[in-house]
Amino acid sequence: MTASEEKLKSELLLEELKRRGRSKEVVDVEEERVKVMIFSCGPGRYAFLGSEVREVLPSCEICWVPGLPDYLPGLINVRGDIESVIDVGHFLGETRDRPFSGLIAMAVKGEFRSGVMIDAIEDVIDVPVSAVGPPLATLEGAVRELVTGTITLKGRTISLLDVGRLPAKVSL
Amino acid sequence: MSEGIRLTLLFFSLGGVRFACDADHAEALSAVGAAEEGAFRLDLALGYPSPVSYREPTVLTLKGEGERRVVIDALEQIAEVGLEEIRPLPALLEPLALKRGIWGVLPRAGALVLLLDLDLLMKQRPFGNVSNDA
């Protein structure tokens, strides 16, 4: 091999750096992430997938409909569309000691669409899919049926709720 | 059904909730008399959590066979609306609302008015009594 054909050490190092860079890019692309909206409901913290929340509405008047169970407080008017409202706290075991004055998250999944009462939005973050763990084994009852996974954030474990499981809970 | 359908609705309130029913179902409106003690209790039939204290009761006599009288409260107005102004109930709660004769919603003056079919309600709850079969 002639001197001109031999690569300089710097060239080899540069190639290696670039190879590593491409490799890192591939890793970044492959690391699928999901957006989650963390919210409070009573004293508890929960999350919905961002893809399952169409919008969050400020507190608005809920029209009570006679004969509905407590977890269906009524109807709201969203720019002319009439939507149902679910008090998800009922299923999560979170009680409210004063009249509701929080937000309404418009939850959508497949054919299901409804407003969901939440107290406040704590954060909206992207997390790697791999960071979503299985539901806590200690969950019981209706909560267990709504929770699809857990996220650990700043040392706190937050239950990720599956909007798609709400219709089964409120089936009449 | 074709476009341009219009309904004449009778608007009233009961316990702070606004309702409207088809005025075509009404035979007569009259003041409450002593004979109304046995009239259909709308608040009970609709499943109100506690009996409503009527402020301005009016007796609505329905068309059809038999003497069917319903005591409504706070009669507001009779007005015509287009079918296109009426919204269906969300699928999630429609089955239960229909059990109470509530079949649609009319956004009106910043509020929601529940459309009530009294014939449907009286068929399902002929005695106007409340039973916890929701």
PDB file of all heavy atoms in Angstrom, chain B residues 67-84:
ATOM      1  N   GLU B  67    -107.535  10.509  29.950  1.00  0.00           N
ATOM      2  CA  GLU B  67    -107.206  11.834  30.485  1.00  0.00           C
ATOM      3  C   GLU B  67    -105.791  11.776  31.045  1.00  0.00           C
ATOM      4  O   GLU B  67    -105.567  11.237  32.135  1.00  0.00           O
ATOM      5  CB  GLU B  67    -108.215  12.205  31.587  1.00  0.00           C
ATOM      6  CG  GLU B  67    -108.010  13.561  32.210  1.00  0.00           C
ATOM      7  CD  GLU B  67    -108.592  14.706  31.390  1.00  0.00           C
ATOM      8  OE1 GLU B  67    -109.002  14.488  30.230  1.00  0.00           O
ATOM      9  OE2 GLU B  67    -108.631  15.820  31.919  1.00  0.00           O
ATOM     10  N   ARG B  68    -104.855  12.266  30.286  1.00  0.00           N
ATOM     11  CA  ARG B  68    -103.451  12.203  30.724  1.00  0.00           C
ATOM     12  C   ARG B  68    -102.983  13.619  31.015  1.00  0.00           C
ATOM     13  O   ARG B  68    -102.855  14.440  30.106  1.00  0.00           O
ATOM     14  CB  ARG B  68    -102.588  11.547  29.662  1.00  0.00           C
ATOM     15  CG  ARG B  68    -102.982  10.092  29.399  1.00  0.00           C
ATOM     16  CD  ARG B  68    -102.050   9.452  28.398  1.00  0.00           C
ATOM     17  NE  ARG B  68    -102.031  10.204  27.147  1.00  0.00           N
ATOM     18  CZ  ARG B  68    -101.032  10.175  26.281  1.00  0.00           C
ATOM     19  NH1 ARG B  68     -99.955   9.451  26.539  1.00  0.00           N
ATOM     20  NH2 ARG B  68    -101.083  10.863  25.157  1.00  0.00           N
ATOM     21  N   ARG B  69    -102.744  13.861  32.286  1.00  0.00           N
ATOM     22  CA  ARG B  69    -102.355  15.209  32.713  1.00  0.00           C
ATOM     23  C   ARG B  69    -100.990  15.173  33.384  1.00  0.00           C
ATOM     24  O   ARG B  69    -100.715  14.289  34.199  1.00  0.00           O
ATOM     25  CB  ARG B  69    -103.396  15.780  33.672  1.00  0.00           C
ATOM     26  CG  ARG B  69    -104.726  16.095  32.999  1.00  0.00           C
ATOM     27  CD  ARG B  69    -105.789  16.353  34.009  1.00  0.00           C
ATOM     28  NE  ARG B  69    -105.946  15.206  34.888  1.00  0.00           N
ATOM     29  CZ  ARG B  69    -106.327  15.291  36.152  1.00  0.00           C
ATOM     30  NH1 ARG B  69    -106.576  16.450  36.695  1.00  0.00           N
ATOM     31  NH2 ARG B  69    -106.445  14.205  36.893  1.00  0.00           N
ATOM     32  N   VAL B  70    -100.181  16.146  33.018  1.00  0.00           N
ATOM     33  CA  VAL B  70     -98.835  16.262  33.589  1.00  0.00           C
ATOM     34  C   VAL B  70     -98.699  17.652  34.175  1.00  0.00           C
ATOM     35  O   VAL B  70     -99.078  18.636  33.528  1.00  0.00           O
ATOM     36  CB  VAL B  70     -97.755  16.082  32.495  1.00  0.00           C
ATOM     37  CG1 VAL B  70     -96.367  16.193  33.092  1.00  0.00           C
ATOM     38  CG2 VAL B  70     -97.925  14.770  31.765  1.00  0.00           C
ATOM     39  N   VAL B  71     -98.176  17.717  35.380  1.00  0.00           N
ATOM     40  CA  VAL B  71     -97.939  19.041  35.978  1.00  0.00           C
ATOM     41  C   VAL B  71     -96.513  19.458  35.641  1.00  0.00           C
ATOM     42  O   VAL B  71     -95.545  18.785  36.010  1.00  0.00           O
ATOM     43  CB  VAL B  71     -98.132  19.012  37.503  1.00  0.00           C
ATOM     44  CG1 VAL B  71     -97.918  20.412  38.084  1.00  0.00           C
ATOM     45  CG2 VAL B  71     -99.521  18.509  37.852  1.00  0.00           C
ATOM     46  N   ILE B  72     -96.413  20.541  34.891  1.00  0.00           N
ATOM     47  CA  ILE B  72     -95.103  21.097  34.563  1.00  0.00           C
ATOM     48  C   ILE B  72     -94.907  22.373  35.371  1.00  0.00           C
ATOM     49  O   ILE B  72     -95.833  22.844  36.032  1.00  0.00           O
ATOM     50  CB  ILE B  72     -94.955  21.369  33.042  1.00  0.00           C
ATOM     51  CG1 ILE B  72     -96.003  22.391  32.578  1.00  0.00           C
ATOM     52  CG2 ILE B  72     -95.069  20.058  32.267  1.00  0.00           C
ATOM     53  CD1 ILE B  72     -95.812  22.842  31.150  1.00  0.00           C
ATOM     54  N   ASP B  73     -93.727  22.922  35.322  1.00  0.00           N
ATOM     55  CA  ASP B  73     -93.444  24.108  36.136  1.00  0.00           C
ATOM     56  C   ASP B  73     -92.820  25.200  35.273  1.00  0.00           C
ATOM     57  O   ASP B  73     -92.146  24.912  34.282  1.00  0.00           O
ATOM     58  CB  ASP B  73     -92.486  23.731  37.276  1.00  0.00           C
ATOM     59  CG  ASP B  73     -92.465  24.789  38.369  1.00  0.00           C
ATOM     60  OD1 ASP B  73     -93.439  25.565  38.451  1.00  0.00           O
ATOM     61  OD2 ASP B  73     -91.486  24.840  39.122  1.00  0.00           O
ATOM     62  N   ALA B  74     -93.011  26.424  35.675  1.00  0.00           N
ATOM     63  CA  ALA B  74     -92.359  27.582  35.086  1.00  0.00           C
ATOM     64  C   ALA B  74     -92.441  27.574  33.565  1.00  0.00           C
ATOM     65  O   ALA B  74     -91.437  27.564  32.862  1.00  0.00           O
ATOM     66  CB  ALA B  74     -90.900  27.644  35.541  1.00  0.00           C
ATOM     67  N   LEU B  75     -93.669  27.552  33.063  1.00  0.00           N
ATOM     68  CA  LEU B  75     -93.900  27.616  31.623  1.00  0.00           C
ATOM     69  C   LEU B  75     -93.307  28.911  31.074  1.00  0.00           C
ATOM     70  O   LEU B  75     -93.600  29.997  31.575  1.00  0.00           O
ATOM     71  CB  LEU B  75     -95.409  27.554  31.342  1.00  0.00           C
ATOM     72  CG  LEU B  75     -95.834  27.624  29.887  1.00  0.00           C
ATOM     73  CD1 LEU B  75     -95.299  26.437  29.108  1.00  0.00           C
ATOM     74  CD2 LEU B  75     -97.356  27.678  29.788  1.00  0.00           C
ATOM     75  N   GLU B  76     -92.458  28.803  30.079  1.00  0.00           N
ATOM     76  CA  GLU B  76     -91.760  29.994  29.583  1.00  0.00           C
ATOM     77  C   GLU B  76     -92.389  30.539  28.312  1.00  0.00           C
ATOM     78  O   GLU B  76     -92.755  31.698  28.232  1.00  0.00           O
ATOM     79  CB  GLU B  76     -90.285  29.651  29.330  1.00  0.00           C
ATOM     80  CG  GLU B  76     -89.522  29.354  30.613  1.00  0.00           C
ATOM     81  CD  GLU B  76     -88.119  28.830  30.338  1.00  0.00           C
ATOM     82  OE1 GLU B  76     -87.683  28.841  29.170  1.00  0.00           O
ATOM     83  OE2 GLU B  76     -87.478  28.377  31.304  1.00  0.00           O
ATOM     84  N   GLN B  77     -92.455  29.695  27.294  1.00  0.00           N
ATOM     85  CA  GLN B  77     -92.967  30.184  26.014  1.00  0.00           C
ATOM     86  C   GLN B  77     -93.279  29.014  25.104  1.00  0.00           C
ATOM     87  O   GLN B  77     -92.896  27.878  25.377  1.00  0.00           O
ATOM     88  CB  GLN B  77     -91.927  31.085  25.339  1.00  0.00           C
ATOM     89  CG  GLN B  77     -90.630  30.366  25.021  1.00  0.00           C
ATOM     90  CD  GLN B  77     -89.674  31.216  24.187  1.00  0.00           C
ATOM     91  OE1 GLN B  77     -90.076  32.038  23.383  1.00  0.00           O
ATOM     92  NE2 GLN B  77     -88.390  31.001  24.391  1.00  0.00           N
ATOM     93  N   ILE B  78     -93.980  29.321  24.034  1.00  0.00           N
ATOM     94  CA  ILE B  78     -94.181  28.353  22.960  1.00  0.00           C
ATOM     95  C   ILE B  78     -93.508  28.951  21.729  1.00  0.00           C
ATOM     96  O   ILE B  78     -93.777  30.095  21.361  1.00  0.00           O
ATOM     97  CB  ILE B  78     -95.684  28.095  22.707  1.00  0.00           C
ATOM     98  CG1 ILE B  78     -96.301  27.453  23.959  1.00  0.00           C
ATOM     99  CG2 ILE B  78     -95.883  27.199  21.503  1.00  0.00           C
ATOM    100  CD1 ILE B  78     -97.799  27.308  23.906  1.00  0.00           C
ATOM    101  N   ALA B  79     -92.598  28.219  21.146  1.00  0.00           N
ATOM    102  CA  ALA B  79     -91.835  28.770  20.032  1.00  0.00           C
ATOM    103  C   ALA B  79     -91.550  27.691  18.994  1.00  0.00           C
ATOM    104  O   ALA B  79     -91.516  26.504  19.312  1.00  0.00           O
ATOM    105  CB  ALA B  79     -90.517  29.363  20.541  1.00  0.00           C
ATOM    106  N   GLU B  80     -91.348  28.143  17.778  1.00  0.00           N
ATOM    107  CA  GLU B  80     -91.067  27.229  16.685  1.00  0.00           C
ATOM    108  C   GLU B  80     -89.562  27.145  16.469  1.00  0.00           C
ATOM    109  O   GLU B  80     -88.870  28.169  16.508  1.00  0.00           O
ATOM    110  CB  GLU B  80     -91.753  27.751  15.411  1.00  0.00           C
ATOM    111  CG  GLU B  80     -91.956  26.703  14.350  1.00  0.00           C
ATOM    112  CD  GLU B  80     -92.739  27.248  13.172  1.00  0.00           C
ATOM    113  OE1 GLU B  80     -92.198  28.114  12.461  1.00  0.00           O
ATOM    114  OE2 GLU B  80     -93.881  26.797  12.966  1.00  0.00           O
ATOM    115  N   VAL B  81     -89.066  25.943  16.263  1.00  0.00           N
ATOM    116  CA  VAL B  81     -87.633  25.776  15.976  1.00  0.00           C
ATOM    117  C   VAL B  81     -87.481  24.834  14.783  1.00  0.00           C
ATOM    118  O   VAL B  81     -88.341  23.981  14.542  1.00  0.00           O
ATOM    119  CB  VAL B  81     -86.842  25.214  17.188  1.00  0.00           C
ATOM    120  CG1 VAL B  81     -86.960  26.108  18.395  1.00  0.00           C
ATOM    121  CG2 VAL B  81     -87.278  23.807  17.518  1.00  0.00           C
ATOM    122  N   GLY B  82     -86.391  24.992  14.079  1.00  0.00           N
ATOM    123  CA  GLY B  82     -86.097  24.108  12.961  1.00  0.00           C
ATOM    124  C   GLY B  82     -85.441  22.825  13.464  1.00  0.00           C
ATOM    125  O   GLY B  82     -84.704  22.848  14.460  1.00  0.00           O
ATOM    126  N   LEU B  83     -85.704  21.739  12.761  1.00  0.00           N
ATOM    127  CA  LEU B  83     -85.123  20.462  13.170  1.00  0.00           C
ATOM    128  C   LEU B  83     -83.595  20.527  13.181  1.00  0.00           C
ATOM    129  O   LEU B  83     -82.936  19.885  13.996  1.00  0.00           O
ATOM    130  CB  LEU B  83     -85.597  19.349  12.220  1.00  0.00           C
ATOM    131  CG  LEU B  83     -85.222  17.928  12.606  1.00  0.00           C
ATOM    132  CD1 LEU B  83     -85.847  17.524  13.934  1.00  0.00           C
ATOM    133  CD2 LEU B  83     -85.631  16.935  11.516  1.00  0.00           C
ATOM    134  N   GLU B  84     -83.055  21.343  12.289  1.00  0.00           N
ATOM    135  CA  GLU B  84     -81.587  21.431  12.183  1.00  0.00           C
ATOM    136  C   GLU B  84     -80.970  22.101  13.416  1.00  0.00           C
ATOM    137  O   GLU B  84     -79.760  22.006  13.631  1.00  0.00           O
ATOM    138  CB  GLU B  84     -81.169  22.176  10.910  1.00  0.00           C
ATOM    139  CG  GLU B  84     -81.505  23.667  10.880  1.00  0.00           C
ATOM    140  CD  GLU B  84     -82.960  23.963  10.547  1.00  0.00           C
ATOM    141  OE1 GLU B  84     -83.726  23.009  10.313  1.00  0.00           O
ATOM    142  OE2 GLU B  84     -83.329  25.148  10.545  1.00  0.00           O
TER     143      GLU B  84
END
